[in-house]
Amino acid sequence: MKAAPFAYARPAALSDAVAELVNADGGGKVIAGGQSLVPVLAMRLARPTTLVDINAVTGLDALRAVGDRLEVGATVRQRRVEHALESAQVPLLRLALPWVGHRELRSRGTVCGSLAHADPAAELPAVACCLDAELRLAGPDGERTVRAREFYAGAMTTALRPEDVLVAVSFPVAGPREGFGFAEIARRHGDFALAGVAAHVRADDAGDVSAATMTAFGVSDRPVTRDVTGLVRATGGDRSELVGALDDVVRELVDTDGDAHASNGYRRRLLRALAAREVAKAHRRAVRGTAEVGA
């Protein structure tokens, strides 16, 4: 199919992009990489009256350290983040990016575009929620910041208003006693996940766990994060013990019905195994004091 007719605008300033969305009166849609949006347009699942291309907007292509955070601008491609030296400061982001689609898609797709699209089985929203990233939004009333865990309201539904532009996302830089894990199961590499998990564990100088979180995706209408600090402490981060200890958490997190690809029960089994493995891996990295992804 072909997309339904729409007007096209390519502003050079952020204020002009917002103005275009305001003038569209709810019918505007922002495009940067287009790897999620264009197929939706082609299938006519979305019919915006105006497509606002933000690739010429000044200042949205920055990838930089800002204090103890890494800021990724709205037009920064996923492939650039995957290989940039700066992104090594956010190991979970580096762990997750190779799972996002295929290399060719990541060469065009943007980090912020994936966050704004809000597919519940996508990898980057889970990373943002696990790390409690901050999203900077610009609208007719100025800019505001929204935490990732408050950004997602459901499948393809976020805190973005029709006249808002997601300007950038910032991730906290990892400390020396933080460990991470990330994995998913999909029918084929590059497909959306049947079930996936992102894990983060922080330890103190003595090697004791001070915080542990896991974010599940592909098993609900949005990425869901849970504090599992007590479970990691109780099991000492042992993978075999975590399988049983995480059972109640997994049962709560998987609230999607079965579909043609996987039943509810199968997704629970996948998530239980993935969560135990990746939380244990994150614990091991945190206790050893090495955040590198290969440890």
Side-chain angles (χ1 to χ4, degrees):
M1 292 181 67
K2 294 181 180 178
F6 54 80
Y8 175 78
R10 189 179 169 87
L14 181 59
S15 58
D16 292 338
V18 173
E20 291 286 354
L21 292 169
V22 171
N23 292 335
D25 195 22
K29 197 75 177 175
V30 172
I31 187 169
Q35 298 307 291
S36 298
L37 179 58
V38 169
V40 171
L41 295 177
M43 291 185 283
R44 299 200 174 191
L45 297 175
R47 297 185 179 210
T49 57
T50 304
L51 210 56
V52 181
D53 184 344
I54 60 171
N55 282 290
V57 173
T58 304
L60 298 187
D61 61 348
L63 174 63
R64 59 189 177 187
V66 181
D68 59 355
R69 305 186 74 86
L70 178 70
E71 185 173 278
V72 182
T75 60
V76 175
R77 311 297 167 186
Q78 295 160 3
R79 188 78 170 151
R80 179 182 165 195
V81 178
E82 190 176 352
H83 292 281
L85 292 176
E86 295 93 331
S87 62
Q89 300 175 84
V90 186
L92 185 58
L93 192 57
R94 293 278 286 260
L95 279 171
L97 278 166
W99 295 90
V100 179
H102 301 282
R103 182 179 59 188
E104 294 77 9
L105 300 181
R106 298 196 297 274
S107 295
R108 185 64 187 168
T110 63
V111 171
C112 286
S114 178
L115 298 179
H117 188 65
D119 191 303
E123 296 83 0
L124 295 180
V127 170
C129 288
C130 188
L131 296 178
D132 205 13
E134 294 180 348
L135 288 79
R136 187 153 55 93
L137 317 181
D141 301 325
E143 291 195 1
R144 69 187 194 279
T145 300
V146 179
R147 294 174 57 190
R149 294 175 190 174
E150 299 169 354
F151 184 68
Y152 296 100
M156 316 293 183
T157 306
T158 71
L160 276 168
R161 299 172 302 189
E163 63 274 17
D164 285 341
V165 175
L166 173 54
V167 175
V169 56
S170 71
F171 300 94
V173 169
R177 288 284 185 175
E178 294 184 58
F180 305 90
F182 185 96
E184 68 178 42
I185 297 292
R187 294 173 64 230
R188 300 168 300 183
H189 180 76
D191 285 2
F192 286 112
L194 298 175
V197 66
H200 174 209
V201 175
R202 180 184 295 117
D204 59 22
D205 290 340
D208 297 325
V209 173
S210 57
T213 56
M214 59 169 278
T215 299
F217 61 100
V219 296
S220 184
D221 66 347
R222 73 197 80 176
V224 188
T225 302
R226 289 290 181 271
D227 186 330
V228 292
T229 307
L231 297 177
V232 177
R233 285 174 178 162
T235 60
D238 182 82
R239 176 180 171 180
S240 59
E241 292 190 31
L242 279 168
V243 171
L246 288 169
D247 192 57
D248 287 343
V249 176
V250 168
R251 286 183 177 279
E252 176 197 350
L253 293 178
V254 182
D255 66 358
T256 182
D257 293 332
D259 54 31
H261 305 301
S263 67
N264 179 291
Y266 182 56
R267 282 190 163 91
R268 283 179 175 170
R269 290 195 293 276
L270 290 180
L271 182 61
R272 187 183 304 114
L274 289 174
R277 187 183 73 189
E278 298 308 314
V279 170
K281 198 179 293 181
H283 173 265
R284 186 167 62 249
R285 288 167 172 161
V287 170
R288 289 178 179 174
T290 172
E292 63 264 29
V293 298

